[in-house]
Amino acid sequence: MRKKVTTIVVAMAMMLIMSISAYAAEGVLISIPANQVWTSGIALTRVGTFNYVTVSLDSVYPLEGKDDFHRIQARLTNSIGHVVSESGSVLLTEGAGSVQIDFKPGFGNTNPVYLQFRGNSNEAAKAVVNYDAH
């Protein structure tokens, strides 16, 4: 009986931890495709009523060669791929802090929302990002 209760408590704790990380995360390593193709997106579950998502770029670097990369782009889409960020996309600069991505009017309740990234050049890269879906 005690083992069963412990198993249930551990399972519930793991579900809580996974749900928290689904809307906010730090130090997420992502792959940026070549030719400025958008990533498939990170599904974010929104728990608040804010009409924005915040995102920042810690670092971006090429897969090979000289590291002169400093920026990537980000945007929000819904589950069918329509862009729901008001400005289309935003430019993230390495180490510059958080950028607020506002929802288009009428799309503030989009849930889940997909956070997509693409490079600022035609070279493939890796990047470390942070985000909060609020």
Side-chain angles (χ1 to χ4, degrees):
M1 176 70 169
R2 183 177 191 166
K3 186 175 180 180
K4 187 175 184 177
V5 170
T6 302
T7 302
I8 292 171
V9 169
V10 169
M12 290 175 63
M14 288 176 59
M15 287 182 0
L16 176 63
I17 290 169
M18 288 188 310
S19 69
I20 289 172
S21 65
Y23 77 88
E26 293 185 6
V28 178
L29 178 65
I30 60 170
S31 294
I32 304 290
N35 302 315
Q36 294 189 347
V37 173
W38 288 102
T39 61
S40 59
I42 300 169
L44 305 178
T45 301
R46 302 186 60 231
V47 296
T49 57
F50 297 95
N51 286 323
Y52 61 88
V53 169
T54 53
V55 62
S56 64
L57 174 64
D58 286 343
S59 64
V60 59
Y61 51 92
L63 300 182
E64 58 186 44
K66 183 181 176 190
D67 181 4
D68 58 357
F69 290 3
H70 303 287
R71 296 182 185 97
I72 63 173
Q73 299 172 45
R75 71 178 182 184
L76 302 174
T77 62
N78 63 13
S79 60
I80 58 173
H82 290 151
V83 177
V84 296
S85 42
E86 188 168 30
S87 62
S89 65
V90 297
L91 190 62
L92 304 176
T93 302
E94 197 172 44
S98 293
V99 173
Q100 182 173 303
I101 306 175
D102 296 313
F103 284 92
K104 288 180 181 177
F107 288 91
N109 291 327
T110 302
N111 203 8
V113 65
Y114 295 84
L115 180 58
Q116 295 183 317
F117 300 95
R118 75 175 180 183
N120 209 37
S121 79
N122 288 330
E123 301 299 320
K126 296 282 188 180
V128 178
V129 298
N130 311 296
Y131 55 82
D132 191 340
H134 302 278

mmCIF file of all heavy atoms in Angstrom, residues 78-118:
data_model
loop_
_atom_site.group_PDB
_atom_site.id
_atom_site.type_symbol
_atom_site.label_atom_id
_atom_site.label_comp_id
_atom_site.label_asym_id
_atom_site.label_seq_id
_atom_site.Cartn_x
_atom_site.Cartn_y
_atom_site.Cartn_z
ATOM 1 N N ASN A 78 -0.483 29.712 -34.197
ATOM 2 C CA ASN A 78 -1.470 28.859 -33.536
ATOM 3 C C ASN A 78 -1.313 27.419 -34.025
ATOM 4 O O ASN A 78 -0.394 27.115 -34.788
ATOM 5 C CB ASN A 78 -2.895 29.402 -33.730
ATOM 6 C CG ASN A 78 -3.330 29.430 -35.176
ATOM 7 O OD1 ASN A 78 -2.714 28.839 -36.053
ATOM 8 N ND2 ASN A 78 -4.419 30.135 -35.448
ATOM 9 N N SER A 79 -2.216 26.551 -33.624
ATOM 10 C CA SER A 79 -2.073 25.122 -33.930
ATOM 11 C C SER A 79 -2.203 24.789 -35.416
ATOM 12 O O SER A 79 -1.791 23.711 -35.846
ATOM 13 C CB SER A 79 -3.090 24.308 -33.133
ATOM 14 O OG SER A 79 -4.402 24.716 -33.469
ATOM 15 N N ILE A 80 -2.755 25.702 -36.219
ATOM 16 C CA ILE A 80 -2.847 25.438 -37.659
ATOM 17 C C ILE A 80 -1.823 26.244 -38.464
ATOM 18 O O ILE A 80 -1.886 26.300 -39.682
ATOM 19 C CB ILE A 80 -4.284 25.663 -38.195
ATOM 20 C CG1 ILE A 80 -4.763 27.081 -37.933
ATOM 21 C CG2 ILE A 80 -5.239 24.646 -37.618
ATOM 22 C CD1 ILE A 80 -6.103 27.399 -38.592
ATOM 23 N N GLY A 81 -0.879 26.863 -37.757
ATOM 24 C CA GLY A 81 0.233 27.520 -38.429
ATOM 25 C C GLY A 81 0.046 28.980 -38.781
ATOM 26 O O GLY A 81 0.939 29.571 -39.385
ATOM 27 N N HIS A 82 -1.089 29.581 -38.415
ATOM 28 C CA HIS A 82 -1.282 31.008 -38.688
ATOM 29 C C HIS A 82 -0.489 31.845 -37.691
ATOM 30 O O HIS A 82 -0.485 31.556 -36.496
ATOM 31 C CB HIS A 82 -2.759 31.390 -38.607
ATOM 32 C CG HIS A 82 -3.578 30.835 -39.718
ATOM 33 N ND1 HIS A 82 -4.902 30.540 -39.591
ATOM 34 C CD2 HIS A 82 -3.248 30.506 -40.991
ATOM 35 C CE1 HIS A 82 -5.368 30.052 -40.726
ATOM 36 N NE2 HIS A 82 -4.368 30.021 -41.595
ATOM 37 N N VAL A 83 0.163 32.861 -38.196
ATOM 38 C CA VAL A 83 0.933 33.760 -37.339
ATOM 39 C C VAL A 83 -0.032 34.573 -36.489
ATOM 40 O O VAL A 83 -0.942 35.213 -37.015
ATOM 41 C CB VAL A 83 1.838 34.694 -38.175
ATOM 42 C CG1 VAL A 83 2.568 35.680 -37.291
ATOM 43 C CG2 VAL A 83 2.826 33.862 -38.991
ATOM 44 N N VAL A 84 0.160 34.528 -35.161
ATOM 45 C CA VAL A 84 -0.718 35.259 -34.239
ATOM 46 C C VAL A 84 0.026 36.358 -33.483
ATOM 47 O O VAL A 84 -0.551 37.021 -32.635
ATOM 48 C CB VAL A 84 -1.434 34.301 -33.249
ATOM 49 C CG1 VAL A 84 -2.360 33.361 -33.993
ATOM 50 C CG2 VAL A 84 -0.438 33.532 -32.395
ATOM 51 N N SER A 85 1.299 36.565 -33.804
ATOM 52 C CA SER A 85 2.041 37.670 -33.184
ATOM 53 C C SER A 85 1.759 38.948 -33.966
ATOM 54 O O SER A 85 1.760 38.950 -35.198
ATOM 55 C CB SER A 85 3.531 37.375 -33.116
ATOM 56 O OG SER A 85 4.019 36.794 -34.287
ATOM 57 N N GLU A 86 1.501 40.013 -33.240
ATOM 58 C CA GLU A 86 1.049 41.264 -33.845
ATOM 59 C C GLU A 86 2.021 41.832 -34.864
ATOM 60 O O GLU A 86 1.620 42.294 -35.923
ATOM 61 C CB GLU A 86 0.755 42.302 -32.756
ATOM 62 C CG GLU A 86 0.110 43.544 -33.283
ATOM 63 C CD GLU A 86 -0.424 44.431 -32.183
ATOM 64 O OE1 GLU A 86 0.128 44.430 -31.076
ATOM 65 O OE2 GLU A 86 -1.417 45.131 -32.441
ATOM 66 N N SER A 87 3.312 41.773 -34.570
ATOM 67 C CA SER A 87 4.291 42.364 -35.483
ATOM 68 C C SER A 87 4.831 41.364 -36.498
ATOM 69 O O SER A 87 5.807 41.659 -37.182
ATOM 70 C CB SER A 87 5.444 42.951 -34.675
ATOM 71 O OG SER A 87 6.095 41.922 -33.954
ATOM 72 N N GLY A 88 4.215 40.214 -36.609
ATOM 73 C CA GLY A 88 4.747 39.186 -37.497
ATOM 74 C C GLY A 88 5.870 38.452 -36.806
ATOM 75 O O GLY A 88 5.661 37.407 -36.207
ATOM 76 N N SER A 89 7.068 39.015 -36.834
ATOM 77 C CA SER A 89 8.198 38.421 -36.120
ATOM 78 C C SER A 89 8.975 39.513 -35.400
ATOM 79 O O SER A 89 8.823 40.694 -35.704
ATOM 80 C CB SER A 89 9.116 37.669 -37.082
ATOM 81 O OG SER A 89 9.710 38.556 -37.988
ATOM 82 N N VAL A 90 9.784 39.095 -34.428
ATOM 83 C CA VAL A 90 10.632 40.032 -33.688
ATOM 84 C C VAL A 90 12.076 39.585 -33.833
ATOM 85 O O VAL A 90 12.364 38.410 -34.070
ATOM 86 C CB VAL A 90 10.252 40.115 -32.189
ATOM 87 C CG1 VAL A 90 8.842 40.641 -32.018
ATOM 88 C CG2 VAL A 90 10.422 38.783 -31.501
ATOM 89 N N LEU A 91 12.975 40.521 -33.691
ATOM 90 C CA LEU A 91 14.403 40.251 -33.764
ATOM 91 C C LEU A 91 14.942 40.110 -32.345
ATOM 92 O O LEU A 91 14.732 40.985 -31.504
ATOM 93 C CB LEU A 91 15.107 41.401 -34.492
ATOM 94 C CG LEU A 91 16.563 41.185 -34.861
ATOM 95 C CD1 LEU A 91 16.713 40.014 -35.822
ATOM 96 C CD2 LEU A 91 17.121 42.452 -35.498
ATOM 97 N N LEU A 92 15.604 39.001 -32.076
ATOM 98 C CA LEU A 92 16.231 38.767 -30.775
ATOM 99 C C LEU A 92 17.727 38.949 -30.931
ATOM 100 O O LEU A 92 18.328 38.415 -31.862
ATOM 101 C CB LEU A 92 15.952 37.346 -30.291
ATOM 102 C CG LEU A 92 14.495 36.918 -30.181
ATOM 103 C CD1 LEU A 92 14.400 35.457 -29.790
ATOM 104 C CD2 LEU A 92 13.763 37.791 -29.192
ATOM 105 N N THR A 93 18.325 39.698 -30.020
ATOM 106 C CA THR A 93 19.758 39.945 -30.053
ATOM 107 C C THR A 93 20.414 39.250 -28.872
ATOM 108 O O THR A 93 19.924 39.335 -27.742
ATOM 109 C CB THR A 93 20.051 41.460 -30.006
ATOM 110 O OG1 THR A 93 19.394 42.081 -31.124
ATOM 111 C CG2 THR A 93 21.537 41.742 -30.076
ATOM 112 N N GLU A 94 21.499 38.581 -29.152
ATOM 113 C CA GLU A 94 22.245 37.832 -28.154
ATOM 114 C C GLU A 94 22.558 38.697 -26.929
ATOM 115 O O GLU A 94 23.154 39.761 -27.056
ATOM 116 C CB GLU A 94 23.543 37.374 -28.826
ATOM 117 C CG GLU A 94 24.285 36.281 -28.173
ATOM 118 C CD GLU A 94 25.438 35.820 -29.050
ATOM 119 O OE1 GLU A 94 26.167 36.650 -29.618
ATOM 120 O OE2 GLU A 94 25.598 34.602 -29.164
ATOM 121 N N GLY A 95 22.112 38.248 -25.749
ATOM 122 C CA GLY A 95 22.421 38.921 -24.491
ATOM 123 C C GLY A 95 21.671 40.217 -24.232
ATOM 124 O O GLY A 95 21.948 40.898 -23.249
ATOM 125 N N ALA A 96 20.711 40.581 -25.064
ATOM 126 C CA ALA A 96 20.037 41.877 -24.935
ATOM 127 C C ALA A 96 18.844 41.866 -23.975
ATOM 128 O O ALA A 96 18.225 42.888 -23.774
ATOM 129 C CB ALA A 96 19.582 42.373 -26.305
ATOM 130 N N GLY A 97 18.500 40.738 -23.411
ATOM 131 C CA GLY A 97 17.363 40.674 -22.496
ATOM 132 C C GLY A 97 16.086 40.277 -23.210
ATOM 133 O O GLY A 97 16.071 39.989 -24.407
ATOM 134 N N SER A 98 15.004 40.279 -22.451
ATOM 135 C CA SER A 98 13.717 39.786 -22.954
ATOM 136 C C SER A 98 13.043 40.749 -23.916
ATOM 137 O O SER A 98 13.114 41.960 -23.754
ATOM 138 C CB SER A 98 12.763 39.531 -21.794
ATOM 139 O OG SER A 98 13.228 38.469 -21.012
ATOM 140 N N VAL A 99 12.368 40.155 -24.897
ATOM 141 C CA VAL A 99 11.554 40.889 -25.856
ATOM 142 C C VAL A 99 10.121 40.394 -25.684
ATOM 143 O O VAL A 99 9.879 39.197 -25.548
ATOM 144 C CB VAL A 99 12.038 40.642 -27.304
ATOM 145 C CG1 VAL A 99 11.091 41.251 -28.313
ATOM 146 C CG2 VAL A 99 13.444 41.181 -27.492
ATOM 147 N N GLN A 100 9.194 41.312 -25.677
ATOM 148 C CA GLN A 100 7.784 40.967 -25.550
ATOM 149 C C GLN A 100 7.182 40.787 -26.937
ATOM 150 O O GLN A 100 7.285 41.661 -27.781
ATOM 151 C CB GLN A 100 7.059 42.088 -24.805
ATOM 152 C CG GLN A 100 5.597 41.826 -24.565
ATOM 153 C CD GLN A 100 4.982 42.890 -23.670
ATOM 154 O OE1 GLN A 100 5.437 43.104 -22.562
ATOM 155 N NE2 GLN A 100 3.942 43.550 -24.169
ATOM 156 N N ILE A 101 6.556 39.631 -27.164
ATOM 157 C CA ILE A 101 5.858 39.375 -28.423
ATOM 158 C C ILE A 101 4.365 39.457 -28.134
ATOM 159 O O ILE A 101 3.812 38.611 -27.435
ATOM 160 C CB ILE A 101 6.202 37.994 -29.011
ATOM 161 C CG1 ILE A 101 7.718 37.822 -29.165
ATOM 162 C CG2 ILE A 101 5.497 37.806 -30.350
ATOM 163 C CD1 ILE A 101 8.125 36.435 -29.637
ATOM 164 N N ASP A 102 3.724 40.500 -28.645
ATOM 165 C CA ASP A 102 2.300 40.705 -28.418
ATOM 166 C C ASP A 102 1.463 39.891 -29.393
ATOM 167 O O ASP A 102 1.857 39.678 -30.536
ATOM 168 C CB ASP A 102 1.936 42.186 -28.584
ATOM 169 C CG ASP A 102 2.607 43.060 -27.538
ATOM 170 O OD1 ASP A 102 2.554 42.689 -26.355
ATOM 171 O OD2 ASP A 102 3.185 44.097 -27.908
ATOM 172 N N PHE A 103 0.287 39.472 -28.926
ATOM 173 C CA PHE A 103 -0.652 38.767 -29.791
ATOM 174 C C PHE A 103 -1.428 39.762 -30.644
ATOM 175 O O PHE A 103 -1.683 40.885 -30.220
ATOM 176 C CB PHE A 103 -1.666 37.966 -28.957
ATOM 177 C CG PHE A 103 -1.089 36.716 -28.374
ATOM 178 C CD1 PHE A 103 -0.533 36.721 -27.107
ATOM 179 C CD2 PHE A 103 -1.108 35.533 -29.089
ATOM 180 C CE1 PHE A 103 -0.009 35.569 -26.570
ATOM 181 C CE2 PHE A 103 -0.580 34.373 -28.558
ATOM 182 C CZ PHE A 103 -0.030 34.388 -27.286
ATOM 183 N N LYS A 104 -1.822 39.328 -31.845
ATOM 184 C CA LYS A 104 -2.742 40.125 -32.656
ATOM 185 C C LYS A 104 -4.042 40.278 -31.873
ATOM 186 O O LYS A 104 -4.411 39.384 -31.108
ATOM 187 C CB LYS A 104 -3.053 39.405 -33.972
ATOM 188 C CG LYS A 104 -1.951 39.374 -34.974
ATOM 189 C CD LYS A 104 -2.418 38.618 -36.222
ATOM 190 C CE LYS A 104 -1.333 38.537 -37.251
ATOM 191 N NZ LYS A 104 -1.751 37.749 -38.426
ATOM 192 N N PRO A 105 -4.766 41.387 -32.077
ATOM 193 C CA PRO A 105 -6.062 41.535 -31.411
ATOM 194 C C PRO A 105 -6.967 40.333 -31.707
ATOM 195 O O PRO A 105 -7.047 39.868 -32.844
ATOM 196 C CB PRO A 105 -6.628 42.819 -32.022
ATOM 197 C CG PRO A 105 -5.415 43.592 -32.442
ATOM 198 C CD PRO A 105 -4.418 42.554 -32.894
ATOM 199 N N GLY A 106 -7.585 39.823 -30.667
ATOM 200 C CA GLY A 106 -8.483 38.686 -30.805
ATOM 201 C C GLY A 106 -7.812 37.331 -30.678
ATOM 202 O O GLY A 106 -8.481 36.299 -30.660
ATOM 203 N N PHE A 107 -6.481 37.290 -30.577
ATOM 204 C CA PHE A 107 -5.768 36.016 -30.476
ATOM 205 C C PHE A 107 -5.099 35.811 -29.118
ATOM 206 O O PHE A 107 -4.334 34.883 -28.930
ATOM 207 C CB PHE A 107 -4.712 35.895 -31.584
ATOM 208 C CG PHE A 107 -5.302 35.673 -32.941
ATOM 209 C CD1 PHE A 107 -5.603 36.749 -33.760
ATOM 210 C CD2 PHE A 107 -5.566 34.393 -33.398
ATOM 211 C CE1 PHE A 107 -6.158 36.557 -35.013
ATOM 212 C CE2 PHE A 107 -6.122 34.179 -34.650
ATOM 213 C CZ PHE A 107 -6.423 35.269 -35.459
ATOM 214 N N GLY A 108 -5.404 36.658 -28.157
ATOM 215 C CA GLY A 108 -4.779 36.577 -26.836
ATOM 216 C C GLY A 108 -5.095 35.314 -26.069
ATOM 217 O O GLY A 108 -4.369 34.955 -25.150
ATOM 218 N N ASN A 109 -6.160 34.625 -26.424
ATOM 219 C CA ASN A 109 -6.523 33.377 -25.732
ATOM 220 C C ASN A 109 -6.009 32.136 -26.444
ATOM 221 O O ASN A 109 -6.408 31.022 -26.104
ATOM 222 C CB ASN A 109 -8.048 33.281 -25.578
ATOM 223 C CG ASN A 109 -8.570 34.309 -24.613
ATOM 224 O OD1 ASN A 109 -7.900 34.667 -23.655
ATOM 225 N ND2 ASN A 109 -9.769 34.806 -24.865
ATOM 226 N N THR A 110 -5.142 32.298 -27.442
ATOM 227 C CA THR A 110 -4.601 31.157 -28.180
ATOM 228 C C THR A 110 -3.848 30.240 -27.219
ATOM 229 O O THR A 110 -2.955 30.673 -26.512
ATOM 230 C CB THR A 110 -3.654 31.632 -29.294
ATOM 231 O OG1 THR A 110 -4.373 32.503 -30.171
ATOM 232 C CG2 THR A 110 -3.100 30.467 -30.083
ATOM 233 N N ASN A 111 -4.248 28.965 -27.194
ATOM 234 C CA ASN A 111 -3.640 28.021 -26.275
ATOM 235 C C ASN A 111 -3.811 26.606 -26.818
ATOM 236 O O ASN A 111 -4.948 26.197 -27.053
ATOM 237 C CB ASN A 111 -4.290 28.135 -24.905
ATOM 238 C CG ASN A 111 -3.403 27.642 -23.790
ATOM 239 O OD1 ASN A 111 -2.241 27.341 -23.995
ATOM 240 N ND2 ASN A 111 -3.967 27.562 -22.610
ATOM 241 N N PRO A 112 -2.754 25.878 -27.097
ATOM 242 C CA PRO A 112 -1.374 26.320 -26.926
ATOM 243 C C PRO A 112 -0.967 27.280 -28.041
ATOM 244 O O PRO A 112 -1.646 27.392 -29.058
ATOM 245 C CB PRO A 112 -0.573 25.016 -27.037
ATOM 246 C CG PRO A 112 -1.386 24.160 -27.940
ATOM 247 C CD PRO A 112 -2.820 24.505 -27.627
ATOM 248 N N VAL A 113 0.143 27.944 -27.811
ATOM 249 C CA VAL A 113 0.732 28.811 -28.818
ATOM 250 C C VAL A 113 2.100 28.223 -29.151
ATOM 251 O O VAL A 113 2.724 27.584 -28.305
ATOM 252 C CB VAL A 113 0.834 30.275 -28.319
ATOM 253 C CG1 VAL A 113 1.776 30.408 -27.149
ATOM 254 C CG2 VAL A 113 1.230 31.211 -29.432
ATOM 255 N N TYR A 114 2.522 28.392 -30.386
ATOM 256 C CA TYR A 114 3.792 27.811 -30.829
ATOM 257 C C TYR A 114 4.814 28.919 -31.048
ATOM 258 O O TYR A 114 4.561 29.862 -31.800
ATOM 259 C CB TYR A 114 3.593 26.984 -32.101
ATOM 260 C CG TYR A 114 2.720 25.786 -31.836
ATOM 261 C CD1 TYR A 114 1.332 25.900 -31.861
ATOM 262 C CD2 TYR A 114 3.279 24.569 -31.482
ATOM 263 C CE1 TYR A 114 0.529 24.813 -31.564
ATOM 264 C CE2 TYR A 114 2.478 23.481 -31.182
ATOM 265 C CZ TYR A 114 1.108 23.613 -31.228
ATOM 266 O OH TYR A 114 0.304 22.535 -30.922
ATOM 267 N N LEU A 115 5.945 28.788 -30.376
ATOM 268 C CA LEU A 115 7.036 29.742 -30.483
ATOM 269 C C LEU A 115 8.014 29.204 -31.519
ATOM 270 O O LEU A 115 8.595 28.133 -31.333
ATOM 271 C CB LEU A 115 7.707 29.907 -29.123
ATOM 272 C CG LEU A 115 8.877 30.856 -29.007
ATOM 273 C CD1 LEU A 115 8.499 32.271 -29.441
ATOM 274 C CD2 LEU A 115 9.393 30.858 -27.572
ATOM 275 N N GLN A 116 8.150 29.931 -32.627
ATOM 276 C CA GLN A 116 9.026 29.507 -33.714
ATOM 277 C C GLN A 116 10.229 30.441 -33.822
ATOM 278 O O GLN A 116 10.130 31.627 -33.496
ATOM 279 C CB GLN A 116 8.279 29.523 -35.045
ATOM 280 C CG GLN A 116 7.148 28.528 -35.132
ATOM 281 C CD GLN A 116 6.504 28.539 -36.501
ATOM 282 O OE1 GLN A 116 6.264 29.591 -37.080
ATOM 283 N NE2 GLN A 116 6.215 27.362 -37.020
ATOM 284 N N PHE A 117 11.318 29.892 -34.317
ATOM 285 C CA PHE A 117 12.558 30.659 -34.492
ATOM 286 C C PHE A 117 13.100 30.419 -35.893
ATOM 287 O O PHE A 117 12.851 29.383 -36.507
ATOM 288 C CB PHE A 117 13.614 30.202 -33.483
ATOM 289 C CG PHE A 117 13.202 30.381 -32.051
ATOM 290 C CD1 PHE A 117 12.625 29.336 -31.346
ATOM 291 C CD2 PHE A 117 13.387 31.583 -31.403
ATOM 292 C CE1 PHE A 117 12.246 29.486 -30.029
ATOM 293 C CE2 PHE A 117 13.005 31.757 -30.088
ATOM 294 C CZ PHE A 117 12.439 30.700 -29.397
ATOM 295 N N ARG A 118 13.880 31.384 -36.382
ATOM 296 C CA ARG A 118 14.657 31.189 -37.603
ATOM 297 C C ARG A 118 15.906 32.049 -37.513
ATOM 298 O O ARG A 118 15.976 33.026 -36.768
ATOM 299 C CB ARG A 118 13.862 31.491 -38.861
ATOM 300 C CG ARG A 118 13.631 32.941 -39.154
ATOM 301 C CD ARG A 118 12.936 33.097 -40.494
ATOM 302 N NE ARG A 118 12.699 34.494 -40.793
ATOM 303 C CZ ARG A 118 12.058 34.905 -41.856
ATOM 304 N NH1 ARG A 118 11.573 34.051 -42.725
ATOM 305 N NH2 ARG A 118 11.884 36.193 -42.070
#
